Amino acid sequence: MSIRLSSWSKEAQVVPANYVFPPEIRPGDLAAPVINHGVSEELMDDTMSLFKEFFDMPVEDKAAYYSEDKSKSFRLYTSEDHIQSWPEKPARYREVVGTYSAEVRKLSLRILDLICEGMGIEMGYFADELSKIQSLVINHYPPCPNPSLVLGVRGHCDPNLITILQQDVYGLQIFKGEQWVGVESLPHAFVINIANQLEMISNGKLKSVKHRAVTNSSIARTSIVTFISPSRECVIEPAKALVSVCSPPLFKAVRYKEFSDTYMAKTHDPNSTVVESYKLQA
Ligand SMILES: O=C(O)CCC(=O)C(=O)O
Ligand SMILES: [Fe+2]
């Protein structure tokens, strides 16, 4: 009988060697492209083309929005409070980005609830202060004459709770099994990255994924990245439901603003793993 029809797999404790894929095409378990997520394909396409249009605008139009000051509120802050500072060009910017942000927020809360269910935390655990802040970063990578010499974004873990990324051209890689693995760009899929706060709240059960972006020599790439973060005053600590005598807390409690400021101060250190500094000694 063919091995595919036999029932050995019911007993299998480890994956048989002949089933293991080469590392570069293994799906991995930390950065999962999510499809059937409920955000309409039209809205995803419209948002992507809007941002491409934004980057294609004449330099004079873009200059009005340019700033190196990271504290400025036009860095596409996606709440009603900031809508006045959003770009007025392209003309449909506010409408499209407003709708997109609201839909992606709903999706992220659904994913967070599924994570609660999977880990045995009460539903709605993340719904309030822990996911209060939503921000949007649009990365635009022009074609690069020699991608082997350059990184679009160097390796890092995101400091927030969870990140929802849309890409239509390959470029995202995650660090897994001591090497960089490409994350396939599936049409209309979102990539969900576990970020630092989710690692700490899950008491290390979920790991924040180190990732980077590479460039390519033929086409420009735009990525739309939604960061869901706790409010700055929020205290982050392992969820009580995940802590017991057998499973003691692995992380100290920290106010998110302290974590975030430490992260920002170390952002130029490629090996900075801020999470490590909040680990409790075993
Ligand atoms: O462009 C990408 O795929 C990655 C961007 C990223 O990691 C970030 O903005 O934090
Ligand atoms: Fe990132």
Side-chain angles (χ1 to χ4, degrees):
M1 189 169 43
S2 155
I3 185 143
R4 289 182 204 281
L5 295 177
S6 73
S7 59
W8 63 267
S9 59
K10 289 193 181 139
E11 256 54 67
Q13 302 286 316
V14 290
V15 180
N18 59 335
Y19 272 71
V20 173
F21 278 86
E24 64 279 11
I25 57 166
R26 282 178 205 165
D29 57 2
L30 294 174
V34 167
I35 54 170
N36 299 328
H37 41 64
V39 180
S40 85
E41 295 187 355
E42 292 70 28
L43 181 61
M44 292 181 78
D45 289 344
D46 211 17
T47 309
M48 184 59 88
S49 54
L50 176 100
F51 285 127
K52 286 184 190 286
E53 220 178 291
F54 179 86
F55 283 105
D56 281 342
M57 291 194 313
V59 173
E60 310 80 75
D61 284 346
K62 286 188 286 191
Y65 304 116
Y66 182 78
S67 167
E68 298 202 357
D69 178 356
K70 290 187 180 165
S71 66
K72 270 194 141 177
S73 70
F74 167 71
R75 294 183 66 92
L76 311 192
Y77 272 50
T78 53
S79 91
E80 296 289 312
D81 303 345
H82 296 279
I83 208 156
Q84 292 313 319
S85 60
W86 291 7
E88 289 166 31
K89 286 185 186 173
R92 60 193 208 292
Y93 188 104
R94 294 181 181 185
E95 185 198 331
V96 173
V97 177
T99 311
Y100 181 87
S101 302
E103 288 295 304
V104 173
R105 174 146 200 96
K106 276 195 254 163
L107 171 63
S108 41
L109 290 175
R110 260 175 55 216
I111 292 170
L112 288 166
D113 261 348
L114 290 169
I115 289 175
C116 286
E117 205 179 329
M119 288 198 305
I121 303 177
E122 79 220 47
M123 299 286 266
Y125 187 85
F126 295 102
D128 214 355
E129 293 299 310
L130 287 171
S131 61
K132 188 101 179 177
I133 307 296
Q134 176 170 344
S135 42
L136 190 59
V137 168
I138 315 303
N139 301 293
H140 182 71
Y141 310 90
C144 173
N146 188 344
S148 71
L149 299 179
V150 173
L151 280 172
V153 174
R154 65 167 71 181
H156 65 282
C157 291
D158 293 340
N160 50 300
L161 184 70
I162 193 165
T163 305
I164 291 102
L165 181 143
Q166 180 182 338
Q167 57 172 355
D168 63 349
V169 171
Y170 167 73
L172 177 67
Q173 299 184 333
I174 60 168
F175 195 65
K176 190 173 159 54
E178 297 306 307
Q179 60 183 331
W180 290 102
V181 181
V183 178
E184 194 186 348
S185 163
L186 293 179
H188 303 116
F190 285 105
V191 178
I192 311 300
N193 279 339
I194 306 291
N196 286 161
Q197 306 313 302
L198 202 46
E199 175 164 350
M200 297 199 289
I201 294 166
S202 73
N203 204 25
K205 290 192 169 55
L206 300 173
K207 298 265 187 285
S208 31
V209 62
K210 189 170 173 188
H211 56 283
R212 68 181 186 183
V214 294
T215 60
N216 74 77
S217 57
S218 51
I219 39 171
R221 169 175 185 263
T222 302
S223 63
I224 307 176
V225 192
T226 302
F227 297 95
I228 303 290
S229 315
S231 62
R232 282 178 65 76
E233 292 306 323
C234 199
V235 174
I236 306 298
E237 59 188 338
K240 297 273 182 294
L242 301 178
V243 172
S244 67
V245 182
C246 309
S247 177
L250 299 180
F251 299 94
K252 296 181 227 176
V254 57
R255 211 171 276 282
Y256 184 58
K257 70 176 170 203
E258 186 201 312
F259 185 99
S260 159
D261 293 348
T262 311
Y263 181 97
M264 291 312 277
K266 293 193 175 170
T267 187
H268 295 297
D269 166 9
N271 292 318
S272 146
T273 44
V274 182
V275 164
E276 298 298 314
S277 60
Y278 293 102
K279 271 198 173 144
L280 288 164
Q281 303 304 320

mmCIF file with all atom_site columns, all heavy atoms in Angstrom, residues 251-273:
data_model
loop_
_atom_site.group_PDB
_atom_site.id
_atom_site.type_symbol
_atom_site.label_atom_id
_atom_site.label_alt_id
_atom_site.label_comp_id
_atom_site.label_asym_id
_atom_site.label_entity_id
_atom_site.label_seq_id
_atom_site.pdbx_PDB_ins_code
_atom_site.Cartn_x
_atom_site.Cartn_y
_atom_site.Cartn_z
_atom_site.occupancy
_atom_site.B_iso_or_equiv
_atom_site.pdbx_formal_charge
_atom_site.auth_seq_id
_atom_site.auth_comp_id
_atom_site.auth_asym_id
_atom_site.auth_atom_id
_atom_site.pdbx_PDB_model_num
ATOM 1   N N   . PHE A 1 251 ? 9.048  37.600 32.187 1.00 0.00 ? 251 PHE A N   1
ATOM 2   C CA  . PHE A 1 251 ? 9.364  39.000 31.919 1.00 0.00 ? 251 PHE A CA  1
ATOM 3   C C   . PHE A 1 251 ? 8.915  39.889 33.075 1.00 0.00 ? 251 PHE A C   1
ATOM 4   O O   . PHE A 1 251 ? 7.892  39.641 33.702 1.00 0.00 ? 251 PHE A O   1
ATOM 5   C CB  . PHE A 1 251 ? 8.664  39.478 30.635 1.00 0.00 ? 251 PHE A CB  1
ATOM 6   C CG  . PHE A 1 251 ? 9.096  38.709 29.425 1.00 0.00 ? 251 PHE A CG  1
ATOM 7   C CD1 . PHE A 1 251 ? 8.376  37.610 28.976 1.00 0.00 ? 251 PHE A CD1 1
ATOM 8   C CD2 . PHE A 1 251 ? 10.245 39.074 28.738 1.00 0.00 ? 251 PHE A CD2 1
ATOM 9   C CE1 . PHE A 1 251 ? 8.778  36.886 27.866 1.00 0.00 ? 251 PHE A CE1 1
ATOM 10  C CE2 . PHE A 1 251 ? 10.662 38.354 27.620 1.00 0.00 ? 251 PHE A CE2 1
ATOM 11  C CZ  . PHE A 1 251 ? 9.932  37.256 27.185 1.00 0.00 ? 251 PHE A CZ  1
ATOM 12  N N   . LYS A 1 252 ? 9.702  40.948 33.295 1.00 0.00 ? 252 LYS A N   1
ATOM 13  C CA  . LYS A 1 252 ? 9.321  41.971 34.282 1.00 0.00 ? 252 LYS A CA  1
ATOM 14  C C   . LYS A 1 252 ? 8.193  42.818 33.711 1.00 0.00 ? 252 LYS A C   1
ATOM 15  O O   . LYS A 1 252 ? 8.090  42.963 32.493 1.00 0.00 ? 252 LYS A O   1
ATOM 16  C CB  . LYS A 1 252 ? 10.488 42.951 34.501 1.00 0.00 ? 252 LYS A CB  1
ATOM 17  C CG  . LYS A 1 252 ? 11.709 42.376 35.081 1.00 0.00 ? 252 LYS A CG  1
ATOM 18  C CD  . LYS A 1 252 ? 12.732 43.517 35.236 1.00 0.00 ? 252 LYS A CD  1
ATOM 19  C CE  . LYS A 1 252 ? 14.071 43.050 34.703 1.00 0.00 ? 252 LYS A CE  1
ATOM 20  N NZ  . LYS A 1 252 ? 15.142 43.990 34.683 1.00 0.00 ? 252 LYS A NZ  1
ATOM 21  N N   . ALA A 1 253 ? 7.410  43.411 34.607 1.00 0.00 ? 253 ALA A N   1
ATOM 22  C CA  . ALA A 1 253 ? 6.396  44.367 34.147 1.00 0.00 ? 253 ALA A CA  1
ATOM 23  C C   . ALA A 1 253 ? 7.114  45.647 33.703 1.00 0.00 ? 253 ALA A C   1
ATOM 24  O O   . ALA A 1 253 ? 8.087  46.066 34.330 1.00 0.00 ? 253 ALA A O   1
ATOM 25  C CB  . ALA A 1 253 ? 5.431  44.665 35.283 1.00 0.00 ? 253 ALA A CB  1
ATOM 26  N N   . VAL A 1 254 ? 6.643  46.231 32.632 1.00 0.00 ? 254 VAL A N   1
ATOM 27  C CA  . VAL A 1 254 ? 7.244  47.481 32.154 1.00 0.00 ? 254 VAL A CA  1
ATOM 28  C C   . VAL A 1 254 ? 6.157  48.356 31.539 1.00 0.00 ? 254 VAL A C   1
ATOM 29  O O   . VAL A 1 254 ? 5.244  47.852 30.891 1.00 0.00 ? 254 VAL A O   1
ATOM 30  C CB  . VAL A 1 254 ? 8.383  47.205 31.125 1.00 0.00 ? 254 VAL A CB  1
ATOM 31  C CG1 . VAL A 1 254 ? 7.903  46.381 29.940 1.00 0.00 ? 254 VAL A CG1 1
ATOM 32  C CG2 . VAL A 1 254 ? 9.013  48.500 30.626 1.00 0.00 ? 254 VAL A CG2 1
ATOM 33  N N   . ARG A 1 255 ? 6.277  49.660 31.789 1.00 0.00 ? 255 ARG A N   1
ATOM 34  C CA  . ARG A 1 255 ? 5.338  50.577 31.153 1.00 0.00 ? 255 ARG A CA  1
ATOM 35  C C   . ARG A 1 255 ? 5.721  50.691 29.669 1.00 0.00 ? 255 ARG A C   1
ATOM 36  O O   . ARG A 1 255 ? 6.903  50.765 29.332 1.00 0.00 ? 255 ARG A O   1
ATOM 37  C CB  . ARG A 1 255 ? 5.407  51.942 31.849 1.00 0.00 ? 255 ARG A CB  1
ATOM 38  C CG  . ARG A 1 255 ? 4.103  52.692 31.831 1.00 0.00 ? 255 ARG A CG  1
ATOM 39  C CD  . ARG A 1 255 ? 4.171  53.924 32.714 1.00 0.00 ? 255 ARG A CD  1
ATOM 40  N NE  . ARG A 1 255 ? 3.912  53.646 34.131 1.00 0.00 ? 255 ARG A NE  1
ATOM 41  C CZ  . ARG A 1 255 ? 2.729  53.454 34.678 1.00 0.00 ? 255 ARG A CZ  1
ATOM 42  N NH1 . ARG A 1 255 ? 1.639  53.508 33.929 1.00 0.00 ? 255 ARG A NH1 1
ATOM 43  N NH2 . ARG A 1 255 ? 2.601  53.212 35.965 1.00 0.00 ? 255 ARG A NH2 1
ATOM 44  N N   . TYR A 1 256 ? 4.719  50.679 28.787 1.00 0.00 ? 256 TYR A N   1
ATOM 45  C CA  . TYR A 1 256 ? 5.043  50.639 27.360 1.00 0.00 ? 256 TYR A CA  1
ATOM 46  C C   . TYR A 1 256 ? 5.902  51.831 26.940 1.00 0.00 ? 256 TYR A C   1
ATOM 47  O O   . TYR A 1 256 ? 6.789  51.690 26.113 1.00 0.00 ? 256 TYR A O   1
ATOM 48  C CB  . TYR A 1 256 ? 3.777  50.539 26.497 1.00 0.00 ? 256 TYR A CB  1
ATOM 49  C CG  . TYR A 1 256 ? 4.135  50.412 25.030 1.00 0.00 ? 256 TYR A CG  1
ATOM 50  C CD1 . TYR A 1 256 ? 4.927  49.366 24.586 1.00 0.00 ? 256 TYR A CD1 1
ATOM 51  C CD2 . TYR A 1 256 ? 3.720  51.366 24.100 1.00 0.00 ? 256 TYR A CD2 1
ATOM 52  C CE1 . TYR A 1 256 ? 5.301  49.249 23.257 1.00 0.00 ? 256 TYR A CE1 1
ATOM 53  C CE2 . TYR A 1 256 ? 4.077  51.250 22.769 1.00 0.00 ? 256 TYR A CE2 1
ATOM 54  C CZ  . TYR A 1 256 ? 4.867  50.196 22.347 1.00 0.00 ? 256 TYR A CZ  1
ATOM 55  O OH  . TYR A 1 256 ? 5.235  50.083 21.033 1.00 0.00 ? 256 TYR A OH  1
ATOM 56  N N   . LYS A 1 257 ? 5.665  52.988 27.544 1.00 0.00 ? 257 LYS A N   1
ATOM 57  C CA  . LYS A 1 257 ? 6.463  54.143 27.112 1.00 0.00 ? 257 LYS A CA  1
ATOM 58  C C   . LYS A 1 257 ? 7.944  53.941 27.438 1.00 0.00 ? 257 LYS A C   1
ATOM 59  O O   . LYS A 1 257 ? 8.811  54.336 26.678 1.00 0.00 ? 257 LYS A O   1
ATOM 60  C CB  . LYS A 1 257 ? 5.929  55.453 27.689 1.00 0.00 ? 257 LYS A CB  1
ATOM 61  C CG  . LYS A 1 257 ? 6.102  55.660 29.145 1.00 0.00 ? 257 LYS A CG  1
ATOM 62  C CD  . LYS A 1 257 ? 5.605  57.071 29.500 1.00 0.00 ? 257 LYS A CD  1
ATOM 63  C CE  . LYS A 1 257 ? 5.545  57.220 30.997 1.00 0.00 ? 257 LYS A CE  1
ATOM 64  N NZ  . LYS A 1 257 ? 4.632  58.240 31.442 1.00 0.00 ? 257 LYS A NZ  1
ATOM 65  N N   . GLU A 1 258 ? 8.208  53.251 28.561 1.00 0.00 ? 258 GLU A N   1
ATOM 66  C CA  . GLU A 1 258 ? 9.615  53.008 28.903 1.00 0.00 ? 258 GLU A CA  1
ATOM 67  C C   . GLU A 1 258 ? 10.228 52.048 27.875 1.00 0.00 ? 258 GLU A C   1
ATOM 68  O O   . GLU A 1 258 ? 11.327 52.261 27.361 1.00 0.00 ? 258 GLU A O   1
ATOM 69  C CB  . GLU A 1 258 ? 9.713  52.413 30.309 1.00 0.00 ? 258 GLU A CB  1
ATOM 70  C CG  . GLU A 1 258 ? 11.153 52.292 30.761 1.00 0.00 ? 258 GLU A CG  1
ATOM 71  C CD  . GLU A 1 258 ? 11.350 51.276 31.881 1.00 0.00 ? 258 GLU A CD  1
ATOM 72  O OE1 . GLU A 1 258 ? 10.582 51.306 32.868 1.00 0.00 ? 258 GLU A OE1 1
ATOM 73  O OE2 . GLU A 1 258 ? 12.274 50.449 31.747 1.00 0.00 ? 258 GLU A OE2 1
ATOM 74  N N   . PHE A 1 259 ? 9.487  51.001 27.566 1.00 0.00 ? 259 PHE A N   1
ATOM 75  C CA  . PHE A 1 259 ? 9.984  50.040 26.578 1.00 0.00 ? 259 PHE A CA  1
ATOM 76  C C   . PHE A 1 259 ? 10.244 50.735 25.246 1.00 0.00 ? 259 PHE A C   1
ATOM 77  O O   . PHE A 1 259 ? 11.298 50.596 24.633 1.00 0.00 ? 259 PHE A O   1
ATOM 78  C CB  . PHE A 1 259 ? 8.955  48.916 26.378 1.00 0.00 ? 259 PHE A CB  1
ATOM 79  C CG  . PHE A 1 259 ? 9.449  47.834 25.457 1.00 0.00 ? 259 PHE A CG  1
ATOM 80  C CD1 . PHE A 1 259 ? 9.975  46.666 25.970 1.00 0.00 ? 259 PHE A CD1 1
ATOM 81  C CD2 . PHE A 1 259 ? 9.427  48.014 24.074 1.00 0.00 ? 259 PHE A CD2 1
ATOM 82  C CE1 . PHE A 1 259 ? 10.465 45.674 25.120 1.00 0.00 ? 259 PHE A CE1 1
ATOM 83  C CE2 . PHE A 1 259 ? 9.917  47.037 23.221 1.00 0.00 ? 259 PHE A CE2 1
ATOM 84  C CZ  . PHE A 1 259 ? 10.426 45.859 23.753 1.00 0.00 ? 259 PHE A CZ  1
ATOM 85  N N   . SER A 1 260 ? 9.250  51.497 24.823 1.00 0.00 ? 260 SER A N   1
ATOM 86  C CA  . SER A 1 260 ? 9.303  52.108 23.520 1.00 0.00 ? 260 SER A CA  1
ATOM 87  C C   . SER A 1 260 ? 10.447 53.127 23.427 1.00 0.00 ? 260 SER A C   1
ATOM 88  O O   . SER A 1 260 ? 11.168 53.187 22.429 1.00 0.00 ? 260 SER A O   1
ATOM 89  C CB  . SER A 1 260 ? 7.915  52.697 23.286 1.00 0.00 ? 260 SER A CB  1
ATOM 90  O OG  . SER A 1 260 ? 7.901  53.651 22.366 1.00 0.00 ? 260 SER A OG  1
ATOM 91  N N   . ASP A 1 261 ? 10.661 53.903 24.497 1.00 0.00 ? 261 ASP A N   1
ATOM 92  C CA  . ASP A 1 261 ? 11.760 54.867 24.486 1.00 0.00 ? 261 ASP A CA  1
ATOM 93  C C   . ASP A 1 261 ? 13.114 54.149 24.445 1.00 0.00 ? 261 ASP A C   1
ATOM 94  O O   . ASP A 1 261 ? 14.032 54.582 23.756 1.00 0.00 ? 261 ASP A O   1
ATOM 95  C CB  . ASP A 1 261 ? 11.684 55.800 25.710 1.00 0.00 ? 261 ASP A CB  1
ATOM 96  C CG  . ASP A 1 261 ? 10.454 56.720 25.628 1.00 0.00 ? 261 ASP A CG  1
ATOM 97  O OD1 . ASP A 1 261 ? 9.825  56.782 24.547 1.00 0.00 ? 261 ASP A OD1 1
ATOM 98  O OD2 . ASP A 1 261 ? 10.110 57.355 26.650 1.00 0.00 ? 261 ASP A OD2 1
ATOM 99  N N   . THR A 1 262 ? 13.225 53.054 25.195 1.00 0.00 ? 262 THR A N   1
ATOM 100 C CA  . THR A 1 262 ? 14.479 52.278 25.165 1.00 0.00 ? 262 THR A CA  1
ATOM 101 C C   . THR A 1 262 ? 14.711 51.738 23.753 1.00 0.00 ? 262 THR A C   1
ATOM 102 O O   . THR A 1 262 ? 15.816 51.785 23.215 1.00 0.00 ? 262 THR A O   1
ATOM 103 C CB  . THR A 1 262 ? 14.409 51.090 26.159 1.00 0.00 ? 262 THR A CB  1
ATOM 104 O OG1 . THR A 1 262 ? 13.948 51.573 27.402 1.00 0.00 ? 262 THR A OG1 1
ATOM 105 C CG2 . THR A 1 262 ? 15.740 50.410 26.326 1.00 0.00 ? 262 THR A CG2 1
ATOM 106 N N   . TYR A 1 263 ? 13.646 51.241 23.154 1.00 0.00 ? 263 TYR A N   1
ATOM 107 C CA  . TYR A 1 263 ? 13.750 50.685 21.791 1.00 0.00 ? 263 TYR A CA  1
ATOM 108 C C   . TYR A 1 263 ? 14.216 51.770 20.813 1.00 0.00 ? 263 TYR A C   1
ATOM 109 O O   . TYR A 1 263 ? 15.117 51.560 20.011 1.00 0.00 ? 263 TYR A O   1
ATOM 110 C CB  . TYR A 1 263 ? 12.394 50.131 21.372 1.00 0.00 ? 263 TYR A CB  1
ATOM 111 C CG  . TYR A 1 263 ? 12.373 49.500 19.999 1.00 0.00 ? 263 TYR A CG  1
ATOM 112 C CD1 . TYR A 1 263 ? 12.492 48.122 19.844 1.00 0.00 ? 263 TYR A CD1 1
ATOM 113 C CD2 . TYR A 1 263 ? 12.223 50.279 18.856 1.00 0.00 ? 263 TYR A CD2 1
ATOM 114 C CE1 . TYR A 1 263 ? 12.469 47.533 18.581 1.00 0.00 ? 263 TYR A CE1 1
ATOM 115 C CE2 . TYR A 1 263 ? 12.201 49.704 17.591 1.00 0.00 ? 263 TYR A CE2 1
ATOM 116 C CZ  . TYR A 1 263 ? 12.316 48.338 17.463 1.00 0.00 ? 263 TYR A CZ  1
ATOM 117 O OH  . TYR A 1 263 ? 12.295 47.769 16.216 1.00 0.00 ? 263 TYR A OH  1
ATOM 118 N N   . MET A 1 264 ? 13.571 52.918 20.900 1.00 0.00 ? 264 MET A N   1
ATOM 119 C CA  . MET A 1 264 ? 13.916 53.989 19.961 1.00 0.00 ? 264 MET A CA  1
ATOM 120 C C   . MET A 1 264 ? 15.379 54.412 20.138 1.00 0.00 ? 264 MET A C   1
ATOM 121 O O   . MET A 1 264 ? 16.066 54.697 19.169 1.00 0.00 ? 264 MET A O   1
ATOM 122 C CB  . MET A 1 264 ? 13.017 55.219 20.165 1.00 0.00 ? 264 MET A CB  1
ATOM 123 C CG  . MET A 1 264 ? 11.575 55.011 19.761 1.00 0.00 ? 264 MET A CG  1
ATOM 124 S SD  . MET A 1 264 ? 11.370 54.249 18.150 1.00 0.00 ? 264 MET A SD  1
ATOM 125 C CE  . MET A 1 264 ? 11.534 55.660 17.099 1.00 0.00 ? 264 MET A CE  1
ATOM 126 N N   . ALA A 1 265 ? 15.851 54.423 21.389 1.00 0.00 ? 265 ALA A N   1
ATOM 127 C CA  . ALA A 1 265 ? 17.222 54.844 21.645 1.00 0.00 ? 265 ALA A CA  1
ATOM 128 C C   . ALA A 1 265 ? 18.226 53.838 21.078 1.00 0.00 ? 265 ALA A C   1
ATOM 129 O O   . ALA A 1 265 ? 19.363 54.189 20.791 1.00 0.00 ? 265 ALA A O   1
ATOM 130 C CB  . ALA A 1 265 ? 17.434 55.014 23.149 1.00 0.00 ? 265 ALA A CB  1
ATOM 131 N N   . LYS A 1 266 ? 17.792 52.587 20.933 1.00 0.00 ? 266 LYS A N   1
ATOM 132 C CA  . LYS A 1 266 ? 18.727 51.556 20.463 1.00 0.00 ? 266 LYS A CA  1
ATOM 133 C C   . LYS A 1 266 ? 18.508 51.182 19.013 1.00 0.00 ? 266 LYS A C   1
ATOM 134 O O   . LYS A 1 266 ? 19.070 50.208 18.534 1.00 0.00 ? 266 LYS A O   1
ATOM 135 C CB  . LYS A 1 266 ? 18.556 50.297 21.320 1.00 0.00 ? 266 LYS A CB  1
ATOM 136 C CG  . LYS A 1 266 ? 18.990 50.507 22.739 1.00 0.00 ? 266 LYS A CG  1
ATOM 137 C CD  . LYS A 1 266 ? 19.099 49.183 23.450 1.00 0.00 ? 266 LYS A CD  1
ATOM 138 C CE  . LYS A 1 266 ? 19.649 49.388 24.850 1.00 0.00 ? 266 LYS A CE  1
ATOM 139 N NZ  . LYS A 1 266 ? 19.562 48.201 25.655 1.00 0.00 ? 266 LYS A NZ  1
ATOM 140 N N   . THR A 1 267 ? 17.700 51.959 18.330 1.00 0.00 ? 267 THR A N   1
ATOM 141 C CA  . THR A 1 267 ? 17.276 51.526 17.010 1.00 0.00 ? 267 THR A CA  1
ATOM 142 C C   . THR A 1 267 ? 18.418 51.423 15.994 1.00 0.00 ? 267 THR A C   1
ATOM 143 O O   . THR A 1 267 ? 18.316 50.725 15.003 1.00 0.00 ? 267 THR A O   1
ATOM 144 C CB  . THR A 1 267 ? 16.108 52.412 16.516 1.00 0.00 ? 267 THR A CB  1
ATOM 145 O OG1 . THR A 1 267 ? 15.611 51.883 15.329 1.00 0.00 ? 267 THR A OG1 1
ATOM 146 C CG2 . THR A 1 267 ? 16.494 53.839 16.324 1.00 0.00 ? 267 THR A CG2 1
ATOM 147 N N   . HIS A 1 268 ? 19.545 52.109 16.293 1.00 0.00 ? 268 HIS A N   1
ATOM 148 C CA  . HIS A 1 268 ? 20.656 52.018 15.343 1.00 0.00 ? 268 HIS A CA  1
ATOM 149 C C   . HIS A 1 268 ? 21.595 50.861 15.658 1.00 0.00 ? 268 HIS A C   1
ATOM 150 O O   . HIS A 1 268 ? 22.581 50.650 14.983 1.00 0.00 ? 268 HIS A O   1
ATOM 151 C CB  . HIS A 1 268 ? 21.414 53.337 15.278 1.00 0.00 ? 268 HIS A CB  1
ATOM 152 C CG  . HIS A 1 268 ? 20.536 54.420 14.722 1.00 0.00 ? 268 HIS A CG  1
ATOM 153 N ND1 . HIS A 1 268 ? 20.029 54.358 13.441 1.00 0.00 ? 268 HIS A ND1 1
ATOM 154 C CD2 . HIS A 1 268 ? 20.014 55.530 15.277 1.00 0.00 ? 268 HIS A CD2 1
ATOM 155 C CE1 . HIS A 1 268 ? 19.261 55.407 13.228 1.00 0.00 ? 268 HIS A CE1 1
ATOM 156 N NE2 . HIS A 1 268 ? 19.219 56.129 14.331 1.00 0.00 ? 268 HIS A NE2 1
ATOM 157 N N   . ASP A 1 269 ? 21.273 50.128 16.712 1.00 0.00 ? 269 ASP A N   1
ATOM 158 C CA  . ASP A 1 269 ? 22.086 48.972 17.068 1.00 0.00 ? 269 ASP A CA  1
ATOM 159 C C   . ASP A 1 269 ? 21.439 47.733 16.446 1.00 0.00 ? 269 ASP A C   1
ATOM 160 O O   . ASP A 1 269 ? 20.392 47.284 16.888 1.00 0.00 ? 269 ASP A O   1
ATOM 161 C CB  . ASP A 1 269 ? 22.128 48.880 18.607 1.00 0.00 ? 269 ASP A CB  1
ATOM 162 C CG  . ASP A 1 269 ? 22.662 47.543 19.080 1.00 0.00 ? 269 ASP A CG  1
ATOM 163 O OD1 . ASP A 1 269 ? 23.151 46.764 18.237 1.00 0.00 ? 269 ASP A OD1 1
ATOM 164 O OD2 . ASP A 1 269 ? 22.585 47.292 20.287 1.00 0.00 ? 269 ASP A OD2 1
ATOM 165 N N   . PRO A 1 270 ? 22.045 47.177 15.385 1.00 0.00 ? 270 PRO A N   1
ATOM 166 C CA  . PRO A 1 270 ? 21.372 46.101 14.654 1.00 0.00 ? 270 PRO A CA  1
ATOM 167 C C   . PRO A 1 270 ? 21.124 44.861 15.508 1.00 0.00 ? 270 PRO A C   1
ATOM 168 O O   . PRO A 1 270 ? 20.227 44.081 15.209 1.00 0.00 ? 270 PRO A O   1
ATOM 169 C CB  . PRO A 1 270 ? 22.325 45.787 13.499 1.00 0.00 ? 270 PRO A CB  1
ATOM 170 C CG  . PRO A 1 270 ? 23.626 46.401 13.860 1.00 0.00 ? 270 PRO A CG  1
ATOM 171 C CD  . PRO A 1 270 ? 23.357 47.506 14.821 1.00 0.00 ? 270 PRO A CD  1
ATOM 172 N N   . ASN A 1 271 ? 21.906 44.691 16.573 1.00 0.00 ? 271 ASN A N   1
ATOM 173 C CA  . ASN A 1 271 ? 21.705 43.480 17.377 1.00 0.00 ? 271 ASN A CA  1
ATOM 174 C C   . ASN A 1 271 ? 20.886 43.735 18.630 1.00 0.00 ? 271 ASN A C   1
ATOM 175 O O   . ASN A 1 271 ? 20.796 42.894 19.505 1.00 0.00 ? 271 ASN A O   1
ATOM 176 C CB  . ASN A 1 271 ? 23.053 42.867 17.762 1.00 0.00 ? 271 ASN A CB  1
ATOM 177 C CG  . ASN A 1 271 ? 23.725 42.319 16.525 1.00 0.00 ? 271 ASN A CG  1
ATOM 178 O OD1 . ASN A 1 271 ? 23.069 41.703 15.686 1.00 0.00 ? 271 ASN A OD1 1
ATOM 179 N ND2 . ASN A 1 271 ? 24.995 42.600 16.383 1.00 0.00 ? 271 ASN A ND2 1
ATOM 180 N N   . SER A 1 272 ? 20.315 44.913 18.717 1.00 0.00 ? 272 SER A N   1
ATOM 181 C CA  . SER A 1 272 ? 19.559 45.252 19.904 1.00 0.00 ? 272 SER A CA  1
ATOM 182 C C   . SER A 1 272 ? 18.351 44.326 20.063 1.00 0.00 ? 272 SER A C   1
ATOM 183 O O   . SER A 1 272 ? 17.540 44.176 19.167 1.00 0.00 ? 272 SER A O   1
ATOM 184 C CB  . SER A 1 272 ? 19.099 46.697 19.771 1.00 0.00 ? 272 SER A CB  1
ATOM 185 O OG  . SER A 1 272 ? 17.850 46.866 20.373 1.00 0.00 ? 272 SER A OG  1
ATOM 186 N N   . THR A 1 273 ? 18.282 43.667 21.194 1.00 0.00 ? 273 THR A N   1
ATOM 187 C CA  . THR A 1 273 ? 17.094 42.874 21.478 1.00 0.00 ? 273 THR A CA  1
ATOM 188 C C   . THR A 1 273 ? 16.576 43.396 22.811 1.00 0.00 ? 273 THR A C   1
ATOM 189 O O   . THR A 1 273 ? 16.913 42.883 23.871 1.00 0.00 ? 273 THR A O   1
ATOM 190 C CB  . THR A 1 273 ? 17.421 41.374 21.580 1.00 0.00 ? 273 THR A CB  1
ATOM 191 O OG1 . THR A 1 273 ? 18.597 41.243 22.348 1.00 0.00 ? 273 THR A OG1 1
ATOM 192 C CG2 . THR A 1 273 ? 17.608 40.745 20.216 1.00 0.00 ? 273 THR A CG2 1
#
